[in-house]
Amino acid sequence: MDKQQIRNAYKMYLLENGKEPVSVYMLCKSMDMPESDFYGFYSSLEAVERDIWLAVFEDTLQQLQADETYPQYNAQEKLLSFYFLWVSKLREDRSYFLLQRDIFTVPLIYRNKLSAFKTAFYDYISGLVKEGYVSTEIKERKYISDQYVHGFWVQALFVLKYWLEDTSDNFELTDAAIEKAVNLSFQLIGSNTFDSLLDFGKFIFMKK
């Protein structure tokens, strides 16, 4: 028994019953596993849920880093590669993730289920942003640069929500949405576009 088997059993339970197990006991019963064994891996069912989201992220990053061409990409290309592969990984359990759409409507559920994934994603994006500074893809701006990671998290949630609602063949619209979202974000933080918007905002404010 390992964490992956427990995660798979949790997903299977939800898919077969249409709801999460009400207790650790119920999940363990479906696995024919002593409840005490469960606590050797997880402290609660909520911990399993958090780890499911985190595991998809970690599997995605691990596969990217194993690709010898990935380190040669610039920051924008790395983020595009991440999103495309991440969505591909999510597709493997799409039926399960479709049942998780309440993360967009219930704030408490959102915080509980995505917290570990969010922390790991922030670390990943922070690294990409630093690479962008070095390559001049991303412009470092006083007081604003620290907010870039938050913007990319919103972008990740946009990609996730768009994919969950996408009904196009082979999710082609999701691929297009990813490209447009990433291209726009790097235009805003890497060119003079954002600075022009700031200057215009200051000008309008000064006129009042």
Side-chain angles (χ1 to χ4, degrees):
M1 186 61 61
D2 56 27
K3 282 190 170 184
Q4 184 174 343
Q5 289 175 300
I6 293 175
R7 292 195 300 267
N8 289 340
Y10 184 93
K11 289 183 285 188
M12 186 63 65
Y13 186 99
L14 188 147
L15 290 169
E16 292 180 347
N17 295 276
K19 60 181 180 180
E20 294 91 348
V22 296
S23 66
V24 171
Y25 169 80
M26 290 301 296
L27 177 62
C28 292
K29 183 179 179 182
S30 71
M31 301 174 64
D32 194 23
M33 177 182 77
E35 186 172 348
S36 58
D37 288 357
F38 173 91
Y39 293 111
F41 299 98
Y42 292 107
S43 61
S44 65
L45 293 177
E46 290 76 15
V48 178
E49 292 179 326
R50 288 193 295 270
D51 208 29
I52 288 172
W53 287 98
L54 177 61
V56 178
F57 170 82
E58 290 179 336
D59 287 348
T60 301
L61 205 55
Q62 184 177 13
Q63 185 171 330
L64 286 173
Q65 293 171 341
D67 185 342
E68 61 184 18
T69 62
Y70 178 75
Q72 302 171 20
Y73 293 161
N74 61 30
Q76 182 172 351
E77 292 168 338
K78 285 181 177 178
L79 187 58
L80 278 170
S81 298
F82 167 79
Y83 281 138
F84 287 138
L85 184 56
W86 180 50
V87 168
S88 176
K89 294 284 186 182
L90 289 170
R91 284 177 63 173
E92 296 174 9
D93 286 306
R94 180 172 171 83
S95 294
Y96 170 80
F97 289 113
L98 283 173
L99 295 175
Q100 303 298 307
R101 282 179 288 185
D102 55 2
I103 60 173
F104 295 105
T105 56
V106 183
L108 181 60
I109 292 177
Y110 159 83
R111 287 195 296 270
N112 286 343
K113 293 186 178 181
L114 300 186
S115 59
F117 164 44
K118 181 180 180 180
T119 298
F121 181 82
Y122 268 50
D123 288 342
Y124 170 65
I125 289 297
S126 294
L128 285 190
V129 169
K130 289 177 182 177
E131 288 183 27
Y133 292 156
V134 174
S135 66
T136 70
E137 287 177 87
I138 300 175
K139 185 173 181 179
E140 193 168 4
R141 297 178 174 91
K142 192 174 182 180
Y143 305 123
I144 298 175
S145 296
D146 291 342
Q147 304 305 313
Y148 289 163
V149 290
H150 304 301
F152 281 116
W153 174 245
V154 172
Q155 183 183 77
L157 293 180
F158 161 77
V159 170
L160 175 60
K161 190 172 188 294
Y162 196 98
W163 172 73
L164 288 172
E165 297 175 349
D166 190 3
T167 58
S168 64
D169 293 343
N170 203 30
F171 305 107
E172 294 174 352
L173 290 179
T174 295
D175 290 344
I178 289 172
E179 288 192 20
K180 292 181 183 299
V182 172
N183 290 342
L184 176 60
S185 62
F186 273 82
Q187 286 174 11
L188 288 174
I189 65 177
S191 68
N192 292 323
T193 305
F194 191 75
D195 298 299
S196 298
L197 289 172
L198 283 177
D199 289 340
F200 180 71
K202 291 177 182 177
F203 172 76
I204 295 299
F205 180 78
M206 292 289 289
K207 292 285 287 184
K208 290 184 178 181

